[in-house]
């Protein structure tokens, strides 16, 4: 039986449960149900079973969006973590605490800005007519390198990915710096007395000690990479062609442009499954072994 204390505790949790149920759980359950229907958003949904998923897996455009998402994960996840680890090792060896703090704040600044705002700024920077990047290349005598970055089929995705790397590496850096602060400095001092090089200290002591922080960085950046929408939409709208089309933009086009809400829900469910699978793999690969 529930005693008075348990009822009071449930009463405290009830507002959060209501908010979660109304704004998260209910839309998720509705999306799962809608993914098995044909629905244009106005008429009553018609149940069609798994036809949306069959159509999706035979759709070349959907697989293009998956491939673009996979390439973007390199810029959202791998590059920021590698750069963050390299800068973390460099800043950790800096003796001046003021310089270290200033650099850490400077690198972290992009992360506090909304991605949509950064997308607008970088779209201007990439502008082939008056953007500072191409203007600088022409000024230094390299006009052949001045490209229509966001209009080029080969360079549009790397150009967007570079902005994502610039956005996330400061977050990874601050996360890894926080992890270094809990390390016992005597370990590094003992390794230095034993004649270990900087590379050996980093690979054998620092990197294993940062495993929890690396796992958090991987989880958050992988989720952001799979859910990428605002940055890509603001900068390229998925173009030119389908060169920067990702699953969330493909879902948006199917739902709000073509009014195929059932099919769009199926795409969203696949995106959610991808997040669960990759996060589960990360947890298994980097779990603490006792």
């Amino acid at each position: 039986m529930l005693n008075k204390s348990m009822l009071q505790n449930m009463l405290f949790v009830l507002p959060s449960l209501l908010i979660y149920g109304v704004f998260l759980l209910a839309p998720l359950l509705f999306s799962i149900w809608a993914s098995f229907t044909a629905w244009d958003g106005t008429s009553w949904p018609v149940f069609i079973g798994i036809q949306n998923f069959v159509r999706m897996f035979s759709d070349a455009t959907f697989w293009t969006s998956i491939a673009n998402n996979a390439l973007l994960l390199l810029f959202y996840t791998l590059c920021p973590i590698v750069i963050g680890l390299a800068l973390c090792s460099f800043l950790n060896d800096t003796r001046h605490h003021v310089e270290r703090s200033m650099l850490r704040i400077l690198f972290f600044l992009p992360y506090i800005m909304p991605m949509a705002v950064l997308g607008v700024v970088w779209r201007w920077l990439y502008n082939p007519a008056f953007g500072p990047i191409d203007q600088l290349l022409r000024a230094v005598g390299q006009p052949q390198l001045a490209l229509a970055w966001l209009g080029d089929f080969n360079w549009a995705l790397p150009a967007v990915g570079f902005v994502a790397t610039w956005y996330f590496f400061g977050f990874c850096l601050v996360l890894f710096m926080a992890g270094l602060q809990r390390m016992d400095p005597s370990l590094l001092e003992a390794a230095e007395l034993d004649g270990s090089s900087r590379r050996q200290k980093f690979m054998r002591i620092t990197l294993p000690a940062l495993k929890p922080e690396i796992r958090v960085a991987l989880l958050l950046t992988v989720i952001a990479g799979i859910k990428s929408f605002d940055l890509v939409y603001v900068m390229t709208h998925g173009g030119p062609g389908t060169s920067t089309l990702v699953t969330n933009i493909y879902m948006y086009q199917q739902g709000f442009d073509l009014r195929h809400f059932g099919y769009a829900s199926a795409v969203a469910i696949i995106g959610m499954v991808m997040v669960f699978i990759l996060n589960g793999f990360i947890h298994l690969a980097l779990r603490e072994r006792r």
Side-chain angles (χ1 to χ4, degrees), residues 185-243:
S186 62
L187 294 174
L188 295 174
E189 293 172 3
E192 190 170 351
L193 290 174
D194 289 339
S196 299
S197 64
R198 177 179 294 184
R199 177 181 174 279
Q200 290 173 327
K201 288 190 294 183
F202 178 78
M203 295 299 296
R204 297 180 180 179
I205 298 176
T206 305
L207 196 59
L210 288 176
K211 184 185 287 188
E213 285 74 22
I214 292 174
R215 179 171 57 186
V216 172
L218 276 172
L219 291 173
L220 295 179
T221 54
V222 162
I223 292 173
I226 295 176
K227 292 171 57 181
S228 55
F229 175 83
D230 45 2
L231 181 65
V232 183
Y233 186 80
V234 168
M235 294 186 70
T236 65
H237 284 72
T242 58
S243 57

Side-chain angles (χ1 to χ4, degrees), residues 27 31 38 42 45 68 84 88 90 104 124 134 143 166 183-184 199 202 221 236 261 277:
S31 294
T42 55
N68 290 337
C88 173
F90 169 75
R104 186 165 53 186
W124 169 73
D134 282 356
W166 178 72
M183 284 180 56
D184 187 356
R199 177 181 174 279
F202 178 78
T221 54
T236 65
F261 287 104
I277 291 174

Side-chain angles (χ1 to χ4, degrees), residues 14-113:
L14 185 61
S16 299
L17 288 177
L18 287 175
I19 294 173
Y20 177 82
V22 171
F23 294 104
L24 291 174
L25 186 59
L28 174 61
L29 295 176
F30 179 79
S31 294
I32 294 174
W33 173 75
S35 67
F36 296 100
T37 67
W39 183 40
D40 62 3
T42 55
S43 60
W44 186 256
V46 177
F47 183 79
I48 57 173
I50 62 171
Q51 290 184 30
N52 284 328
F53 295 94
V54 173
R55 172 190 166 193
M56 184 197 318
F57 290 128
S58 61
D59 188 350
T61 306
F62 169 74
W63 289 110
T64 299
S65 69
I66 292 290
N68 290 337
N69 256 123
L71 287 174
L72 270 184
L73 278 179
L74 298 176
F75 296 98
Y76 270 81
T77 301
L78 183 62
C79 292
I81 289 177
V82 170
I83 295 173
L85 285 171
L87 287 175
C88 173
S89 178
F90 169 75
L91 292 179
N92 191 49
D93 292 335
T94 303
R95 301 298 180 184
H96 302 285
H97 295 287
V98 176
E99 293 180 4
R100 184 191 306 174
S101 299
M102 290 299 294
L103 287 172
R104 186 165 53 186
I105 292 172
L106 180 65
F107 291 140
F108 188 73
L109 277 178
Y111 192 72
I112 67 175
M113 297 292 293

